[in-house]
Amino acid sequence: LDLLRRDFLSDVNAAVAQAGYALVFEADGLNCVVRNLKEASREVHHRVTAEAQSASVEAREISLLQRDVEMLSGKFRERQETLRHGAYSDLTQIRDEALKKVKAISQTNFGIQKKAIETIAKKDPTEISESEDHFPSPPERSSSRRKARQ
């Protein structure tokens, strides 16, 4: 009986040991899977965090660049207006100076014509008929030019 009992206990111990080994190996395999999942989880977390930070930085940079573009657009418009007004005033000044010179030349020319006609009239009064207008008036700024502009 004792032998039978020892045999039975040794069979039970062997069965329990074999089941225990299987459970130990299964637990070890599951621990390995858990470690791999934790590692993958950390890696995914790190990647997502880095992408979120990168997107955040890019969004800030885009925001700063948009603000810079708006600021520079405003400065460009201001500079363009300044140049436009400066060019307009320069061109107006040049036009006025040219008109003054033309007026001075025409007045000088008018005086020279008048003297020439008087000289001719003194030499031969029959050459000049009184109905003709030999003394054109100096050019003035006419309103027809203003009307044409409008």
Side-chain angles (χ1 to χ4, degrees):
L1 198 53
D2 211 21
L3 189 58
L4 194 58
R5 198 171 186 205
R6 273 193 226 156
D7 234 6
F8 178 70
L9 285 175
S10 105
D11 285 342
V12 168
N13 283 337
V16 168
Q18 192 160 0
Y21 284 133
L23 289 174
V24 166
F25 286 121
E26 185 68 26
D28 187 46
L30 289 174
N31 280 334
C32 186
V33 168
V34 167
R35 269 182 273 148
N36 288 341
L37 285 175
K38 281 183 180 179
E39 201 173 299
S41 166
R42 275 189 231 114
E43 184 178 326
V44 167
H45 176 70
H46 177 70
R47 195 176 311 143
V48 167
T49 303
E51 286 176 9
Q53 287 174 348
S54 174
S56 174
V57 167
E58 288 174 2
R60 274 188 255 129
E61 287 177 358
I62 288 172
S63 173
L64 291 173
L65 289 173
Q66 285 175 336
R67 191 181 70 211
D68 289 349
V69 165
E70 290 171 5
M71 181 182 65
L72 290 175
S73 292
K75 285 183 179 181
F76 173 76
R77 279 189 226 105
E78 289 173 12
R79 179 69 175 144
Q80 191 177 27
E81 278 298 313
T82 302
L83 290 175
R84 185 178 295 133
H85 288 300
Y88 179 77
S89 65
D90 290 348
L91 289 174
T92 302
Q93 183 181 3
I94 291 169
R95 183 196 66 204
D96 291 344
E97 288 174 9
L99 286 174
K100 284 179 187 175
K101 288 179 182 178
V102 167
K103 187 176 180 181
I105 290 170
S106 67
Q107 286 175 344
T108 303
N109 189 24
F110 179 72
I112 293 171
Q113 279 181 342
K114 189 175 180 180
K115 285 180 186 177
I117 291 173
E118 287 172 357
T119 305
I120 291 171
K122 285 180 185 176
K123 288 182 184 177
D124 189 9
T126 57
E127 279 188 36
I128 301 174
S129 70
E130 293 191 21
S131 63
E132 293 179 24
D133 185 13
H134 292 283
F135 300 107
S137 60
E140 293 182 19
R141 295 181 81 163
S142 66
S143 61
S144 63
R145 222 174 18 185
R146 279 188 224 119
K147 289 178 184 175
R149 275 194 230 149
Q150 294 172 353

